[in-house]
């Protein structure tokens, strides 16, 4: 072999699993488009209040339910508040609740699933039965009851949604951990004297991270829809804080549905667009994490 060929960088760097997964994700057009859309929505909710310069809670009785105009690009609501300003402010609340609740549910499912799968026996049996009990209750009904007793607030929404959306992540992590714990690599690490916490946090949890991200993205979409549904029912964030679901509350009147579409179409459209974008990202992550795809 020549000196030039001996100094050539190894081909493994160019075809590492991470780079292959990234290439598969980028080739997934819907996932790439969903990422762009979601980033645009996040940027809008973060920078929009500074660029627009309108207080979303400012009431103007002379501008009640006015159609879109140069002053109010998306019109005003039943209190004379700017719809565009409330749409942007509502995005901050809806995305905060969706992302934080999904993260809470994912972490709970990760920890409990890893423990159940690794220890097995009575620990696995108890946690699996608890999961079955949680799955037997309709999530929306349970969350409504919790919010009704605790009172509507952002922390209550996050905890209520997060505490009843973890079984999906639990089942995934538990199944993967069951298959990992008997592998030779885990046995070798255990034989070298590594304790259970080290094995779980250093070897098991990183191995389930890739498929868990797919579940996490789907949980984000579910959490956003749950928050929108609760706010639509008046059990979401307390007034006058804006959220996409509370903006849809205006659509309960047939007069609004027929004659004032600017009061509900923007909020409904942004919810649908965000959930679709998150679902497309989840599909792309699922395909990207599948080593059988080229």
């Amino acid at each position: 072999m020549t000196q030039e060929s001996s100094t050539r960088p190894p081909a493994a760097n160019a075809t590492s699993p991470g780079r292959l997964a990234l290439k598969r994700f980028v080739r997934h057009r819907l996932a790439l488009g969903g990422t762009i859309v979601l980033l645009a929505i996040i940027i809008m909710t973060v920078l929009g209040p500074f660029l627009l310069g309108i207080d979303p809670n400012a009431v103007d009785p002379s501008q009640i339910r006015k159609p879109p105009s140069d002053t109010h690009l998306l019109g005003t609501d039943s209190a004379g508040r700017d719809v565009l300003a409330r749409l942007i402010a509502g995005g901050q609340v809806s995305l905060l609740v969706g992302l934080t609740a999904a993260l809470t549910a994912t972490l709970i499912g990760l920890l409990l699933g890893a423990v159940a799968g690794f220890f097995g026996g009575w620990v696995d049996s108890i946690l699996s039965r608890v999961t079955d009990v949680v799955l037997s209750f309709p999530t929306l009904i349970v969350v409504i009851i919790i919010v009704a007793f605790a009172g509507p607030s952002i922390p209550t929404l996050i905890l209520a949604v997060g505490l009843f959306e973890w079984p999906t992540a639990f089942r995934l992590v538990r199944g993967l951990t069951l298959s990992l714990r008997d592998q030779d690599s885990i046995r070798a690490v255990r034989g070298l004297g590594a304790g259970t916490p080290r094995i779980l946090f250093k070897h098991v949890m990183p191995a389930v991270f890739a498929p868990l991200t797919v579940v996490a993205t789907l949980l984000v979409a579910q959490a956003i829809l749950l928050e929108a549904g609760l706010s639509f029912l008046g059990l979401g964030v307390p007034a006058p804080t804006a959220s996409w679901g509370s903006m849809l509350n205006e659509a309960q009147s047939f007069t609004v549905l027929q004659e004032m579409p600017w009061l509900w179409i923007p909020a409904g459209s942004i919810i649908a667009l965000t959930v679709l974008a998150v679902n497309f990202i989840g599909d792309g992550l699922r395909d990207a994490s599948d080593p059988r795809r080229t």
Side-chain angles (χ1 to χ4, degrees), residues 209-274:
F209 179 77
L212 191 61
T213 55
V214 180
V215 174
T217 55
L218 300 179
L219 289 176
V220 170
Q222 293 180 16
I224 291 175
L225 287 176
L226 273 174
E227 185 279 327
L230 290 170
S231 297
F232 176 77
L233 296 173
L235 295 172
V237 294
T241 304
S243 77
W244 292 338
S246 63
M247 293 179 68
L248 284 178
N249 189 270
E250 298 268 4
Q252 295 187 33
S253 168
F254 283 107
T255 303
V256 171
L257 286 172
Q258 294 176 354
E259 301 177 6
M260 304 174 188
W262 66 86
L263 293 179
W264 58 273
I265 286 182
S269 300
I270 198 69
I271 291 174
L273 194 61
T274 303

Side-chain angles (χ1 to χ4, degrees), residues 112-132 170-171 173-175 177-178 181:
L112 295 182
V115 170
F118 189 80
F119 289 100
W122 63 270
V123 175
D124 182 24
S125 185
I126 291 176
L127 291 177
S128 296
R129 297 298 78 77
V130 171
T131 304
D132 293 337
F170 169 86
R171 287 188 165 184
V173 175
R174 173 185 174 274
T177 305
L178 283 172
R181 68 175 185 177

